[in-house]
Amino acid sequence: KKLVKLIDRSQGLLLVTGEYNLSLPNTVRTLFESLPRSVYAGKPCAVVCYAPGISAGKRAGTQARAFLGEMSCLTIGTILALPQVHLNIDSEGKCDKPETQNQLKSLLHTLSWYTEALASYRRHTPMPALTNALTD
């Protein structure tokens, strides 16, 4: 219930995910599917993916964008993919690589822009009710 309230109150989402067996981890899908779809509806979402190899988790990132769209999130067009994450992020979670820092700043700036724009719009225009074309 706490997580539902937290996500419901948020104006946007940042999904950070690794890649598991060339895919979006089941734990990520399970978490999103366990909550009401309405908490995600119309919220912008950015994706950061990572992996220890050179693929940077891009398969998981691409799958995450499609999955989040099905959850009624509005994903922004850029995915931040971190290849060889162990070389980009230290054991304390810090990154001292200027290129990665700049990419993250750009992603967060874009997410912030969408978040503010959509929050402003939602104040004047309520989100339409969600429907499922397969069951309606």
Side-chain angles (χ1 to χ4, degrees), residues 36-109:
R37 199 171 97 180
S38 61
V39 301
Y40 311 112
K43 292 185 180 179
C45 186
V47 176
V48 176
C49 55
Y50 61 89
I54 59 172
S55 75
K58 289 179 185 174
R59 290 171 288 243
T62 301
Q63 292 170 15
R65 286 188 62 211
F67 176 75
L68 291 167
E70 289 299 316
M71 299 304 290
S72 300
C73 288
L74 305 170
T75 58
I76 64 173
T78 304
I79 295 174
L80 175 56
L82 300 175
Q84 299 175 320
V85 68
H86 56 287
L87 301 177
N88 279 290
I89 310 292
D90 68 20
S91 61
E92 295 179 11
K94 296 179 183 172
C95 173
D96 62 358
K97 299 206 182 262
E99 181 180 342
T100 302
Q101 291 174 343
N102 289 337
Q103 290 171 336
L104 181 58
K105 284 179 188 175
S106 177
L107 180 77
L108 293 175
H109 177 73

